[in-house]
Amino acid sequence: MLKIHYDLPLHRDSASRFLPWITGLMVFLGVMSLAFALVLGNAASSWSQALGSSLTVQILPLAPGKPGQDERVRQALDLLRETPGVSAARALPKSESEKLVSPWLGSNASLSDLPLPTLVDVRADGTSLNVALLRQRLDAEIPGSVLDDHGNWLGEVSRAAVTVQTLAFGALALIALTAILAVIFAVRAGLQLNRSTVELLHIMGASDRYIARQFQRSAAGNASRGGLAGLVLAVLALFAAQRIVGPQSGLPIRLALPLTDCLWLLLVPLAATFFAALTARLTVLATLKRLP
Amino acid sequence: MLKIHYDLPLHRDSASRFLPWITGLMVFLGVMSLAFALVLGNAASSWSQALGSSLTVQILPLAPGKPGQDERVRQALDLLRETPGVSAARALPKSESEKLVSPWLGSNASLSDLPLPTLVDVRADGTSLNVALLRQRLDAEIPGSVLDDHGNWLGEVSRAAVTVQTLAFGALALIALTAILAVIFAVRAGLQLNRSTVELLHIMGASDRYIARQFQRSAAGNASRGGLAGLVLAVLALFAAQRIVGPQSGLPIRLALPLTDCLWLLLVPLAATFFAALTARLTVLATLKRLP
Amino acid sequence: MIRFDSVGMRYGSGPEVLRDITFELAPGSFHFLTGPSGAGKSSLLRLLYLAHRPSRGLVTLFDKDISSLSRPELSLLRRRIGVVFQDFRLIDHLSTLDNVALPLRLAGAREDQIREHVSELLRWVGLGDHLEARPPTLSGGQQQRVAIARAVINRPSLLLADEPTGNVDDRIGTRLLHLFEELNRLGTTIVIATHNEALIERFNHPRLHLQGGHLDRLPPGAKPY
Amino acid sequence: MIRFDSVGMRYGSGPEVLRDITFELAPGSFHFLTGPSGAGKSSLLRLLYLAHRPSRGLVTLFDKDISSLSRPELSLLRRRIGVVFQDFRLIDHLSTLDNVALPLRLAGAREDQIREHVSELLRWVGLGDHLEARPPTLSGGQQQRVAIARAVINRPSLLLADEPTGNVDDRIGTRLLHLFEELNRLGTTIVIATHNEALIERFNHPRLHLQGGHLDRLPPGAKPY
Ligand SMILES: Nc1ncnc2c1ncn2[C@@H]1O[C@H](COP(=O)(O)OP(=O)(O)OP(=O)(O)O)[C@@H](O)[C@H]1O
Ligand SMILES: Nc1ncnc2c1ncn2[C@@H]1O[C@H](COP(=O)(O)OP(=O)(O)OP(=O)(O)O)[C@@H](O)[C@H]1O
Ligand SMILES: [Mg+2]
Ligand SMILES: [Mg+2]
C-alpha cells in the first residue's frame, strides 16, 4: 500500500470515506472496459489476419489463338504483387487445381484431358486491400481471370471486427472520461465540506501551496487506496470471465492479455490518483483565490 | 421535467448539488453501455442469420450401378429436413449447377456431356446446427455427398458474434452494477452531511416515515434531474456515434436501435432514480433507528 | 410534569456524566439550570428532550414513563417540547423564515398562517429585516434569536433552553427572558441552562444546580457556593 | 499597530455594515469591543484578521498598509494574529490536541515540543482530561476553551477574541481574562468583543463601542448609554 506523509491528519474526515469507494468503483469500471477493448482489439486483428489472407485468382483457359495460359499467369502475378495490400501471390501447381476441381466432376472424370484453370493464391494483409478495384484491374488487363474473394466474407468479417474494435475503444474512452469526471466530482464534493477548514487554515496564515498540498495528498491517498482495491477487484473479475469464456469453451476470442496490455491496466488507478490529486489542488487553489 | 412536491426545501443543500452530477454521469454510462450491448446483440443475431443460412451439399454423380442420383438427392433432402437447426433445404436445378461449374472449366467445355453434381442449398438458423454431426451422418448415409460449409466461416463468425454479445452484456451488467453502486454511495455521502438535519427533525417530533419521505423525495428529485440530463447526453452521443459508424461507412454493424430497445434505455434513469430514493430511505431509517 | 428517579447517564462506554439524579418539576414551573462548564447541563437537557436515553433510573415526562412509550408516542411527545440548542442547530440552507417555520410545518399548519405568524415573531425578536437571510449570514446573536424563535413558535408545553443568551447583550437577554416568562404565564414549563448570574439574579426563579454529577435544588436568590 | 482610516465594509452587494470607521490602537494595548447584537463587532474583527477586505478606506496593521501586501506577506502577517472565533471553528475530526497544535504545525515546530506545550496549556484551561477527545464530544464551554487555547498557543502579536466567554461561567471567564492579561503583559495587543458587562467592569480596559455602523472610543469604566 502507498504510504503518504501527512502534515495534518486531514485524511480522516468523513468526506474522505466516500472518495475511496467512488474511485474504487470507477477504477474497476475503467480496468474492465480497457481489458474488454484490448481483448476485442486483439481478437479483431487476429481475425483479419486469418481472414484477409485467402483470395484466389483463377486464370481460365482461353480458346486457342488467344494469349497463352502461362503468359497470362505471369501478368496476373506481376499485377497482384504491385497491388497495395497484397502481401504475397503464388500460382498453384496443376495437381492442386485438379484436386480442387475433382469434387465437382466426380473422381471418375479424366481430368488430364480437360483444360483446367490455373489458380493463384493471394495473401492480403488485413483490410487495406481494395478488392473491388483489384477485380476491375484484373478484368481489364487479364482476359479470362476471375477473382474469388470467397463470398466476400474476409473483408466483411474483418471490417466487422475493426468496427467492433472501434466501438469498444469509443466506449472505453467514454467510460474512462466518465470515470474520471466521477472522481473529479467526488473530490470536489468532499472539498466542499472542507471549505471551512480551507478558510481556517488560510486565516491562520498557512500559504496557499501548503494548504493545497495537504488536500492534494489526502485526495491522492484516498484515491490510490480506492484505486488499488478497484484494480484488484477488476483483475479478479477478469479471471472469472476468463473461466467462463475461456479457451475450453471453443470460442474464437481469447481473454488472455499479453503482458504489455496488462501494464496498460495499471495505468487506470494511476490516472485516477493523478486526477484526484490534481482536482483537489485546483479546487483548493480556486477556493483560496476568492479569499483576500 | 419531473416536478416533485417538497414539504421541506431539503433539496437545496450543498450535498444535493453533487448527486445530480454523479447520477447524470452514471446514467450516461449505463445508457451508452446498454445501447452498445443491444447494437452488438442485434448485429450478432443478424450476422448469424445471414451466415448460418448458406451451407451447400453436393451430391456427386457415382459410377453406373450405384444408387441413382435423384434417389440420393431425395434421401439427402429428407435427412436434412429432419436435422435440428436446418430451416430449409432445396435442390438446385441443373442450370444452376452448370453456372457454378462453368468458371472452373471455361465456357468452351460442353457441359451437358459431363456428369455434374446436384447442389442442395441448406438454410440453417443461427448457431443451433451441429455441422460436424451433420457431416458425419451425410457421409455415413448418402455415399458421394459432400457438405460444404464455406470454409467453416459461418459457424465461427456467428459464434464470435455471440461471444462478443455475451461479453458486451457481461460488461453492461458490471457497468450497471457499478453505476448503481456509485449512485448509492453518492446518496449515502450526501445524507452523511445531513445527519444533523435528520437528528434535528427527529428531536422536533417528526415521525420516521415523514423524515424518510423528505429525504427520499429530495434524492429522487436530484437523481431524476441528473438522470434525465445523462439520458439526453447519451442519446446525443449515440447519434454522434451513428454519424461516425453509420450505414454510409459500409460497415456491417447498424447502430440504429428498434423502438423496443430504445424503451430499455429509458429504464436506466428510472432505475437510477429508484435506487437513489431507496438508498435515501434506507439510510435515513437506519440513522433514525439508532436514535432513541 | 417532569420526574427523575435516580437517573444516571453516560456517553457510550465513558464515565457517568450524571449520577443518581432525583428531582421533580411541577407543571408551569420556571427553573434555571446552572453548574460549571462540563458539569452535565446540556446532557441533562438531552435527557429531557428525549435525544438520549438514561443509562439507569426512571424518567417521567408529561406523567408518562418514557421507557414504556412506543416510537410514534415519543414523536407526539417531542412535538410538545421546544428546544434552544447551545449550538443553535439551524439548517444552513433554509431561510430564517423556513427555519422558524419548521415546527409548524411538522404540525401540519397552513402555509398562509405560517408566514404571518413566523414573521411577526421574528419582528418581535428584532429580526424583521432578516426574514430571507440564511443563518451563515447572520451574526452570532441573530442566529441565537432565530433558534429561540423556532423553539417557542408553536407554544410548547415544555421549553428547554441551553445557554440562550450567551451571544446577546443584556438588553436583548432581558427581552428574551420576558418572552419566556410570558410563555410561562400561559402554562409552559420552562428550564433554562445558563451561566449568566446577572440574569439569574434579575429574574427570581428557583435553580437546579449541577456539580460533580449531582443535582441540588436551590430556592430563588440562593447562591450555590 | 492598528490604524483604520474612514474604513467601510459590506458583504457582497448588501448595505454597509461598517461606515467610516477611524481609530488607532497602540501596540500592547488591551481593548474591549462592544455594541448591540448585529452592530458589526465580528465584521470589524474579520477586517482585523484579514478574512475580509474593506470596501473603502485604509487599514494599517503592524505598520503596513495591508492593501499593498503580497499574498505571501499577508500569510506571514496572519501567523502573528491569534483568533478566537465566535463559533469556535474547531476541526471536528481532529483531537483537541491536534486542533490546538495547528498554529504550531503551521509554524513548523518540532513534534515533541508541540505535544508537551499543548498539553500543558490545555491542562491550564481545565481540559487536561480531554486531550484526545473530538470537539463534538465536548461541552460548549469546553469547546470554547479549546478555541482560546488554539488562539494563544504560539503567543501571537495580536489577539482577537470574539465573545470568548459566552459559554463559560464567571469563574472560568475570569481565569481566561487573566490569561489574556498575562499575554498582554508580554506584549500582545488584545481586542475582545464581548457582551459581558460584568467582565468589562471587573477588568478595567478602554472600550470600543460600535453602534449604527460607527465606532466610539470610551475610556475604562465608562458606559456607552
Ligand atoms: N457526545 C458526547 N460524547 C461523549 N462525551 C460527551 C458528549 N457530550 C458531552 N460529553 C461530555 O460530558 C460532559 C458534560 O457535558 P455537557 O455538555 O453536558 O456539559 P455542560 O454542563 O453543558 O457544559 P457547558 O456549560 O460547557 O455547556 C463533558 O465532560 C463532555 O466532555
Ligand atoms: N457573511 C455575511 N453575509 C451577509 N451579511 C452578514 C454576514 N455576516 C454578518 N452579516 C450581517 O452583518 C451585520 C453585522 O454582523 P456581525 O456578525 O458583525 O455582528 P456582531 O456585532 O458580531 O453581532 P453579535 O453580537 O450578534 O455577534 C448583521 O446584520 C449580519 O446580518
Ligand atoms: Mg452545555
Ligand atoms: Mg458577532
Side-chain angles (χ1 to χ4, degrees):
Chain A
M1 285 273 170
L2 291 162
K3 181 76 190 143
I4 290 172
H5 171 73
Y6 298 100
D7 292 4
L8 305 176
L10 293 178
H11 56 292
R12 286 194 235 128
D13 65 343
S14 70
S16 303
R17 266 183 263 156
F18 175 50
L19 184 57
W21 283 103
I22 282 281
T23 318
L25 287 173
M26 293 301 118
V27 164
F28 174 77
L29 257 190
V31 170
M32 289 303 289
S33 55
L34 181 53
F36 183 58
L38 290 172
V39 163
L40 279 183
N42 290 346
S45 63
S46 70
W47 286 354
S48 34
Q49 261 167 32
L51 296 170
S53 61
S54 44
L55 288 94
T56 315
V57 178
Q58 300 168 20
I59 312 292
L60 301 178
L62 296 184
K66 297 278 173 70
Q69 182 96 343
D70 295 350
E71 167 77 14
R72 285 184 302 134
V73 168
R74 216 179 32 257
Q75 276 178 7
L77 287 175
D78 287 349
L79 187 151
L80 285 165
R81 281 170 187 155
E82 71 194 15
T83 303
V86 169
S87 58
R90 178 177 73 93
L92 298 181
K94 192 157 200 238
S95 60
E96 287 199 43
S97 299
E98 286 174 4
K99 215 167 69 200
L100 280 165
V101 172
S102 66
W104 296 94
L105 301 175
S107 48
N108 52 343
S110 60
L111 289 168
S112 48
D113 298 348
L114 287 168
L116 283 181
T118 307
L119 296 179
V120 177
D121 182 42
V122 181
R123 316 233 129 227
D125 48 332
T127 53
S128 57
L129 176 64
N130 186 332
V131 176
L133 186 72
L134 178 60
R135 192 188 307 279
Q136 248 176 11
R137 289 195 59 196
L138 282 171
D139 281 350
E141 297 180 19
I142 297 147
S145 70
V146 175
L147 176 68
D148 183 0
D149 60 357
H150 302 296
N152 221 9
W153 288 128
L154 16 108
E156 223 165 271
V157 169
S158 66
R159 272 202 303 271
V162 169
T163 307
V164 167
Q165 194 181 0
T166 309
L167 277 178
F169 272 108
L172 164 77
L174 284 174
I175 290 172
L177 198 77
T178 313
I180 281 166
L181 279 177
V183 169
I184 287 175
F185 277 111
V187 172
R188 286 178 62 95
L191 287 178
Q192 180 113 35
L193 315 175
N194 278 316
R195 213 194 130 89
S196 59
T197 308
V198 171
E199 286 180 13
L200 179 69
L201 292 173
H202 177 72
I203 287 171
M204 287 179 141
S207 72
D208 293 0
R209 285 180 48 211
Y210 179 86
I211 301 174
R213 199 165 60 228
Q214 295 300 315
F215 284 95
Q216 179 185 333
R217 276 184 193 163
S218 165
N222 286 318
S224 64
R225 267 180 292 139
L228 222 67
L231 181 66
V232 169
L233 253 180
V235 168
L236 291 180
L238 284 175
F239 273 115
Q242 201 163 14
R243 296 300 300 256
I244 296 165
V245 199
Q248 73 276 20
S249 68
L251 296 178
I253 287 184
R254 287 183 59 238
L255 274 179
L257 282 174
L259 199 67
T260 47
D261 283 0
C262 289
L263 288 179
W264 281 106
L265 301 185
L266 272 180
L267 271 187
V268 177
L270 290 181
T273 304
F274 171 76
F275 277 101
L278 188 68
T279 307
R281 177 176 197 84
L282 295 180
T283 309
V284 169
L285 288 179
T287 305
L288 286 170
K289 191 158 268 170
R290 264 178 272 125
L291 302 177
Chain B
M1 283 277 170
L2 290 162
K3 180 76 190 142
I4 292 172
H5 170 73
Y6 299 99
D7 293 2
L8 305 176
L10 293 179
H11 56 291
R12 284 193 237 127
D13 66 342
S14 70
S16 304
R17 264 184 264 156
F18 175 50
L19 184 56
W21 283 103
I22 281 282
T23 318
L25 287 174
M26 293 301 118
V27 164
F28 174 78
L29 256 191
V31 170
M32 289 303 289
S33 55
L34 182 54
F36 182 58
L38 290 171
V39 163
L40 279 184
N42 291 344
S45 64
S46 72
W47 287 354
S48 32
Q49 262 166 33
L51 297 171
S53 61
S54 44
L55 289 93
T56 316
V57 178
Q58 300 168 18
I59 313 292
L60 301 178
L62 295 184
K66 296 279 172 71
Q69 182 96 343
D70 294 350
E71 166 76 15
R72 284 184 303 136
V73 167
R74 217 181 28 259
Q75 278 178 3
L77 286 175
D78 288 347
L79 188 154
L80 284 166
R81 279 169 188 155
E82 70 195 17
T83 303
V86 169
S87 58
R90 177 178 72 95
L92 297 181
K94 193 154 199 239
S95 60
E96 287 199 45
S97 299
E98 285 174 4
K99 214 168 70 202
L100 281 166
V101 173
S102 66
W104 296 96
L105 300 176
S107 49
N108 53 344
S110 60
L111 289 168
S112 48
D113 297 347
L114 287 168
L116 282 180
T118 307
L119 296 179
V120 177
D121 182 42
V122 181
R123 316 232 129 227
D125 47 334
T127 53
S128 56
L129 177 64
N130 186 332
V131 176
L133 187 70
L134 178 60
R135 191 189 306 278
Q136 249 176 10
R137 289 194 58 196
L138 282 171
D139 280 352
E141 297 180 20
I142 297 145
S145 69
V146 175
L147 176 67
D148 184 359
D149 59 356
H150 302 297
N152 221 8
W153 288 128
L154 15 108
E156 222 165 273
V157 169
S158 66
R159 270 202 306 271
V162 168
T163 308
V164 167
Q165 195 181 358
T166 310
L167 277 178
F169 272 108
L172 164 77
L174 283 175
I175 290 171
L177 197 79
T178 312
I180 281 166
L181 279 178
V183 170
I184 287 175
F185 277 111
V187 172
R188 287 178 62 94
L191 288 177
Q192 180 113 34
L193 315 175
N194 278 316
R195 212 196 130 90
S196 59
T197 307
V198 171
E199 286 180 12
L200 179 68
L201 291 173
H202 177 73
I203 288 172
M204 287 180 142
S207 71
D208 293 1
R209 286 181 46 213
Y210 178 88
I211 301 174
R213 199 165 61 230
Q214 295 301 316
F215 284 95
Q216 179 186 332
R217 276 184 192 162
S218 165
N222 286 319
S224 65
R225 267 180 290 138
L228 222 68
L231 181 65
V232 168
L233 252 181
V235 168
L236 291 180
L238 284 175
F239 273 115
Q242 200 163 15
R243 296 299 302 254
I244 296 166
V245 198
Q248 73 277 17
S249 68
L251 295 179
I253 288 184
R254 287 184 58 238
L255 275 180
L257 281 174
L259 199 66
T260 47
D261 283 359
C262 289
L263 289 179
W264 281 106
L265 300 186
L266 273 180
L267 271 187
V268 177
L270 290 180
T273 304
F274 171 77
F275 278 101
L278 187 70
T279 307
R281 177 174 198 86
L282 296 180
T283 308
V284 169
L285 287 180
T287 304
L288 287 169
K289 190 156 269 168
R290 263 178 273 126
L291 301 178
Chain C
M1 182 67 185
I2 299 174
R3 222 181 64 198
F4 274 47
D5 263 323
S6 38
V7 168
M9 171 184 169
R10 52 160 47 97
Y11 289 99
S13 54
E16 265 197 335
V17 173
L18 299 176
R19 283 192 287 274
D20 234 359
I21 305 280
T22 303
F23 69 97
E24 188 165 352
L25 301 184
S29 62
F30 192 128
H31 287 83
F32 287 116
L33 176 61
T34 58
S37 173
K41 300 181 295 298
S42 301
S43 306
L44 181 61
L45 293 181
R46 253 170 230 152
L47 289 178
L48 285 172
Y49 57 72
L50 309 176
H52 212 282
R53 269 187 225 287
S55 50
R56 62 191 169 90
L58 192 76
V59 174
T60 313
L61 214 65
F62 297 111
D63 302 322
K64 281 170 193 129
D65 171 7
I66 57 152
S67 64
S68 71
L69 295 178
S70 68
R71 271 183 94 84
E73 285 170 326
L74 283 174
S75 281
L76 288 177
L77 224 62
R78 285 191 178 100
R79 286 194 212 162
R80 299 173 62 190
I81 306 174
V83 189
V84 183
F85 301 95
Q86 191 170 11
D87 52 356
F88 314 155
R89 303 213 197 162
L90 303 175
I91 301 184
D92 277 356
H93 63 277
L94 297 188
S95 68
T96 301
L97 207 127
D98 283 331
N99 264 292
V100 176
L102 221 49
L104 296 177
R105 295 233 162 88
L106 293 183
R110 281 180 31 215
E111 274 304 310
D112 50 344
Q113 288 181 343
I114 286 178
R115 207 190 147 84
E116 194 190 8
H117 205 76
V118 169
S119 50
E120 188 194 318
L121 179 59
L122 282 172
R123 262 195 301 280
W124 200 89
V125 298
L127 293 173
D129 297 338
H130 298 86
L131 297 184
E132 295 302 328
R134 311 271 138 133
T137 71
L138 293 177
S139 83
Q142 289 166 342
Q143 289 180 33
Q144 191 155 42
R145 283 175 276 161
V146 175
I148 290 170
R150 185 179 63 186
V152 303
I153 186 73
N154 64 343
R155 296 215 182 153
S157 308
L158 173 61
L159 180 78
L160 306 168
D162 200 349
E163 204 73 62
T165 58
N167 287 275
V168 295
D169 53 49
D170 286 352
R171 200 180 53 82
I172 296 183
T174 307
R175 194 178 164 89
L176 291 173
L177 265 140
H178 281 306
L179 175 63
F180 293 153
E181 288 203 317
E182 184 62 35
L183 264 181
N184 182 235
R185 252 190 295 281
L186 294 170
T188 301
T189 309
I190 293 184
V191 179
I192 298 177
T194 185
H195 289 296
N196 194 329
E197 288 291 335
L199 270 189
I200 296 173
E201 263 166 46
R202 196 168 318 148
F203 293 84
N204 226 20
H205 293 296
R207 178 202 276 231
L208 303 166
H209 188 73
L210 262 178
Q211 192 138 23
H214 296 287
L215 189 87
D216 295 318
R217 293 190 77 140
L218 300 173
K223 291 247 178 188
Y225 33 131
Chain D
M1 180 69 184
I2 299 175
R3 221 180 65 200
F4 275 46
D5 262 323
S6 38
V7 167
M9 172 186 170
R10 51 161 48 97
Y11 289 99
S13 55
E16 264 197 336
V17 172
L18 299 176
R19 282 193 286 275
D20 234 358
I21 306 280
T22 302
F23 69 97
E24 188 164 355
L25 301 184
S29 62
F30 192 128
H31 287 84
F32 287 116
L33 176 60
T34 59
S37 173
K41 300 182 292 300
S42 302
S43 306
L44 181 61
L45 292 181
R46 253 171 229 152
L47 290 179
L48 285 172
Y49 58 69
L50 308 176
H52 211 283
R53 267 187 227 285
S55 50
R56 62 190 170 92
L58 193 76
V59 174
T60 313
L61 215 65
F62 298 110
D63 302 321
K64 281 171 192 129
D65 171 8
I66 57 153
S67 66
S68 70
L69 295 179
S70 68
R71 272 182 95 83
E73 283 170 329
L74 283 174
S75 282
L76 287 177
L77 224 60
R78 286 191 179 99
R79 285 192 212 163
R80 299 174 61 189
I81 305 174
V83 189
V84 182
F85 301 95
Q86 192 169 9
D87 52 356
F88 314 154
R89 303 211 197 164
L90 304 174
I91 301 185
D92 277 357
H93 63 276
L94 297 188
S95 67
T96 301
L97 207 126
D98 283 333
N99 265 290
V100 176
L102 220 49
L104 297 177
R105 294 233 163 87
L106 293 184
R110 280 180 31 216
E111 274 305 310
D112 49 344
Q113 288 180 344
I114 286 178
R115 209 190 146 86
E116 194 191 8
H117 204 76
V118 169
S119 51
E120 187 194 317
L121 179 59
L122 281 173
R123 263 196 301 279
W124 200 89
V125 298
L127 293 172
D129 296 339
H130 298 86
L131 296 185
E132 293 304 328
R134 311 270 139 135
T137 71
L138 293 177
S139 81
Q142 289 166 344
Q143 290 180 32
Q144 193 155 40
R145 283 175 277 161
V146 175
I148 290 170
R150 184 179 64 187
V152 303
I153 187 74
N154 63 343
R155 299 218 180 149
S157 308
L158 173 61
L159 180 79
L160 306 168
D162 200 349
E163 204 73 63
T165 59
N167 286 276
V168 294
D169 53 48
D170 286 352
R171 200 181 53 83
I172 295 183
T174 306
R175 195 179 162 87
L176 290 172
L177 265 139
H178 281 306
L179 174 64
F180 294 153
E181 288 204 317
E182 185 62 34
L183 265 181
N184 182 235
R185 251 190 296 281
L186 295 171
T188 301
T189 309
I190 293 184
V191 179
I192 298 177
T194 186
H195 289 298
N196 193 327
E197 288 291 334
L199 269 190
I200 295 174
E201 264 167 46
R202 196 169 315 149
F203 293 83
N204 225 20
H205 293 294
R207 180 202 275 229
L208 303 165
H209 189 72
L210 263 177
Q211 192 138 25
H214 296 287
L215 189 89
D216 294 318
R217 294 190 75 139
L218 301 173
K223 291 248 179 188
Y225 30 133

